Amino acid sequence: NAGVTQTPKFRILKIGQSMTLQCAQDMNHNYMYWYRQDPGMGLKLIYYSVGAGITDKGEVPNGYNVSRSTTEDFPLRLELAAPSQTSVYFCASTGVPGELFFGEGSRLTVL
Amino acid sequence: KQEVTQIPAALSVPEGENLVLNCSFTDSAIYNLQWFRQDPGKGLTSLLLIQSSQREQTSGRLNASLDKSSGRSTLYIAASQPGDSATYLCAVRLNTGNQFYFGTGTSLTVIP
C-alpha cells in the first residue's frame, strides 16, 4: 500500500532557483493538500484541491503554485526560492469517510 | 475561523502511567476530528478518526473521545511505553468547507 508518496525527500536550493515537489496518491482521493511545517510551529495550509482541475489557496500561498491535472497527482512548484521557504513540506489526501493521510514529507533548504 | 488548541505543549511521564492529551476547538459544527502521531523528522500517522456522530473510538491502548457541545476531545493512552514518545496532534474538519484545522501538538516523553 503506497498511500501518499512525496519526492524528493530532501533538497537544497539556491536563492532564486525553482523546483517542483511531487505528490501522488493511489487511494482515488478527490481532496489533496499541501502544508508546510516550520520548527516548533503548526501546519500551515499552502494550497488544496477538491478534484482534478480545481485548486484553491490556503493560508500561505505566496511564492507557490499548484496544478491538478489528474486525480492522483498534485505537484507544488516553488518559483524564485527564498530562505523563508526553508521548511518541511507535507502532502495529504482524503476521500470518504474523511480520514486524512500524509506523505513522509519533503525537507527543503534554501541557501 | 476554527481555532484548535492543545494543552499542554509538552508532557513527561514515567513508563506505565495512564495519560490524557487534550484538544479544544471553538466551532462545534464539525464533520470529524482526527488524532495523529508525529515522530521526529517523520510524517503524520493517523491514529484515530472520530466522526461527528460518534462519541469515542478505540484502537489498542488508545481511546479518543469527542464532546462537540463543549468543544473538546481527549486522547487516552493506557499503560504508556517509551515507544509512545512522539508529538500528538489533533485536527478538526468542519461541516462546511474542505479544510482541516490543526492544533500545534503535545510533545510526549515516556521515561523508562
Side-chain angles (χ1 to χ4, degrees), chain A:
Chain A
N1 295 334
V4 179
T5 303
Q6 290 184 236
T7 57
K9 287 185 169 48
F10 302 93
R11 182 74 186 266
I12 298 174
L13 281 182
K14 294 182 179 179
I15 295 172
Q17 288 184 321
S18 300
M19 74 160 297
T20 300
L21 300 177
Q22 302 291 343
C23 175
Q25 52 90 11
D26 62 359
M27 297 172 281
N28 201 32
H29 287 166
N30 284 326
Y31 300 88
M32 296 187 73
Y33 304 82
W34 274 106
Y35 295 91
R36 60 177 287 173
Q37 186 179 43
D38 299 312
M41 305 292 286
L43 289 160
K44 294 188 185 298
L45 180 64
I46 306 171
Y47 272 96
Y48 66 101
S49 170
V50 300
I54 306 170
T55 62
D56 210 344
K57 296 178 180 179
E59 187 180 356
V60 289
N62 292 342
Y64 307 95
N65 277 300
V66 293
S67 60
R68 185 93 182 272
S69 58
T70 67
T71 299
E72 295 77 21
D73 300 299
F74 189 39
L76 176 72
R77 181 148 181 89
L78 283 71
E79 303 282 2
L80 299 175
S84 61
Q85 293 178 304
T86 293
S87 189
V88 181
Y89 292 84
F90 290 103
C91 179
S93 73
T94 186
V96 178
E99 186 173 8
L100 192 62
F101 294 91
F102 278 83
E104 287 289 311
S106 296
R107 188 175 297 273
L108 176 67
T109 301
V110 182
L111 301 175

Side-chain angles (χ1 to χ4, degrees), chain B residues 77-89:
Chain B
I77 302 177
S80 58
Q81 304 170 356
D84 295 331
S85 298
T87 297
Y88 291 81
L89 297 95

